[in-house]
Amino acid sequence: MSSSIASSSSSSSSSSKKEKKISLKTSDGEVFEVEEPVAMQLEIVRSFFADNEDVTEQTVMPLPNVSTAAMHGILEYCRAHEEFRRRMPEAAPEEEVRAFEAGYVDRKSNEELKEMILAANYLNISKLLDFLTGVAAKRIENKSVEYVRAFFGVENDFTPEEEANLRREYEWAFEGVDED
Amino acid sequence: MKRRSLYSPSAKDKVSKTENDKLFGCCCVSRLPDDIVVNIFSRLTLIEAARTSVVSRRWRYLWTFTANLDFQAPDTIWKIGEEPNEIAIEKKRCMYINWVEKVLELHGGKYINEFRIHFDLGDDQKTNITRWIHTALAKGLETLELHLDLKVDSIQFPLFELPKLRHLTFDVNANNGDSLLDLTRMIKACPFLCKFTLKLISEDSKRKLRQFPNCRHEHLKVVEFIGFIGRPIDLELAFYLLENSPVLEKMIVNPTHPLLIGSYFEFEDVKEKQDARKRAKRLQKRVPQGALLVIL
């Protein structure tokens, strides 16, 4: 697969041309040039550059577990947070952060959300992982078992009798379930 | 709930596949590893999490690894206010206690970070409650919330240390003549406590301020009073915490009655609240440097 250079334009207008970039290559071969402070939010990248003395600015770090689509989502989040940090280094503007985060996940399907969770886990961005697992929890709240199975992609391997017995055993847990 | 999906395995599989496609627009669904699934469960109430035991064989006990145990009771047990007699209420109390016991017994995780109980349990349940806290404590408890119906003088637990506890929330039902200073023992037992929240239901009692002990709480940063009345009963404790918390950042004083929080009347500005606010101003003089007194 040919390596193409993905758009690396930062949402930040203050970023200068000389800003140091870090090259990250996704599973499908796309190379992202990412501003250093944004890339360093990815713990896996930070430790890669901290632990390897022979890496240079030209080093392209492969990220075989992250798809291009997930990478776009990850960077959108990290860039926004870098921008908040830059503007208000002391304390993040909480309301703005919340508004951004709400809009950010609203546009994502369940499948995209899970892909992002996997990526955030692999890249070790604990803040994003916490946020996304919270969103996933909200999405399965008050949902039926069938919905939860579909959400996580889990096959039901109980016999109907077993399932009926379990539902009886956990009767208390089945109040107030919404229609899917 | 879809009854059709419960029966006839072959038909059911087809249904769930197409439902999958419909819901997610894709047939190749990403699988999340167990530790992430448990992380998601930890953000649900226990009832929500326990429901997932019906998802599949492998998931049957996955929810028992959740690190956050939030015992918000199911509605049928919760609504004891509608019960006509004490026998029925007692029966529900037993159900709740059995539920907590059962979940603690099933709990398979190494850690319990958060433990919350909300129920009409009184002083006679102290032994059970203490035992539950012990169990959670052994698994590294950090956040403890007790929304119960306990009296001040009965809060003798813990007789043990809570070495990792960082957040403590407590409901207290105080009578005339009680002193919240009795709670200092509990706070003392948590050397690393960062945040202390107290929900107080108390009569408007007048008496003299009592002497309070000295004991430093080196990590306490945030103190929150809900249901503050500004009488000796809570002023004493507030003074005590202001004087003994060298790194205090914020003391929040909310004069709203705890039972009105979240209700239509929460923000109604009644005279009791205005008076409590006036009395709360007395705290200002003792606020340590760098800390903030917020009167809501």
Side-chain angles (χ1 to χ4, degrees), chain A residues 110-111 114-115 117-118 121 129-130 133-134 136-137 140-160 162-163 166-167 169-170 172-175 177 179-180, chain B residues 1-2 5-8 12-13 17 19-20 23-24 28-33 36-37 39-41 43-44 46-48 50-61 63 74-76 99 106:
Chain A
N110 287 338
E111 200 47 42
K114 282 191 296 172
E115 217 185 308
I117 289 177
L118 286 169
N121 185 45
L129 184 63
D130 281 352
T133 48
I140 59 169
E141 213 169 57
N142 295 327
K143 292 290 197 279
S144 69
V145 172
E146 287 78 8
Y147 186 93
V148 174
R149 276 186 198 127
F151 183 93
F152 288 101
V154 176
E155 288 280 329
N156 178 15
D157 54 1
F158 285 119
T159 65
E162 284 172 328
E163 179 168 337
L166 260 182
R167 278 179 191 259
E169 191 184 323
Y170 284 92
W172 50 270
F174 283 93
E175 291 166 11
V177 178
E179 283 290 311
D180 288 349
Chain B
M1 206 143 316
K2 293 178 183 51
S5 62
L6 269 179
Y7 310 104
S8 149
K12 176 199 67 196
D13 280 352
K17 273 238 167 55
E19 271 184 355
N20 238 349
L23 283 167
F24 305 110
C28 46
V29 182
S30 315
R31 289 289 172 86
L32 299 177
I36 292 185
V37 174
N39 179 336
I40 294 171
F41 290 170
R43 292 157 201 281
L44 298 169
L46 264 177
I47 297 175
E48 292 277 343
R51 205 184 299 144
T52 63
S53 56
V54 187
V55 164
S56 78
R57 256 176 236 283
R58 219 176 55 76
W59 275 36
R60 175 139 185 216
Y61 295 107
W63 68 275
D75 276 357
T76 41
W99 179 47
L106 280 174

Side-chain angles (χ1 to χ4, degrees), chain B residues 74-94:
Chain B
D75 276 357
T76 41
I77 308 184
W78 185 237
K79 290 188 178 137
I80 54 169
E82 293 163 12
E83 288 302 333
N85 60 58
E86 189 55 37
I87 297 167
I89 294 176
E90 195 50 42
K91 208 174 140 199
K92 293 206 162 183
R93 238 175 241 137
C94 279

Side-chain angles (χ1 to χ4, degrees), chain A residues 26-37:
Chain A
T26 55
S27 59
D28 29 8
E30 202 159 321
V31 176
F32 286 70
E33 291 201 345
V34 184
E35 312 79 67
E36 191 184 21

Side-chain angles (χ1 to χ4, degrees), chain A residues 83-158:
Chain A
E83 186 65 26
F84 290 133
R85 197 191 60 80
R86 217 185 279 221
R87 271 199 296 128
M88 301 181 74
E90 293 296 316
E94 270 178 50
E95 268 180 36
E96 261 185 79
V97 173
R98 238 173 295 148
F100 161 76
E101 290 186 335
Y104 172 75
V105 286
D106 261 4
R107 287 173 271 126
K108 307 245 179 301
S109 70
N110 287 338
E111 200 47 42
E112 285 171 317
L113 175 66
K114 282 191 296 172
E115 217 185 308
M116 299 261 311
I117 289 177
L118 286 169
N121 185 45
Y122 170 72
L123 298 169
N124 200 353
I125 317 169
S126 59
K127 200 170 159 189
L128 178 58
L129 184 63
D130 281 352
F131 167 63
L132 293 174
T133 48
V135 173
K138 273 266 166 300
R139 288 197 186 177
I140 59 169
E141 213 169 57
N142 295 327
K143 292 290 197 279
S144 69
V145 172
E146 287 78 8
Y147 186 93
V148 174
R149 276 186 198 127
F151 183 93
F152 288 101
V154 176
E155 288 280 329
N156 178 15
D157 54 1
F158 285 119

Side-chain angles (χ1 to χ4, degrees), chain B residues 242-255:
Chain B
L242 287 172
E243 300 218 335
N244 290 291
S245 312
V247 297
L248 191 76
E249 290 171 2
K250 208 189 311 187
M251 179 178 278
I252 305 156
V253 170
N254 184 350

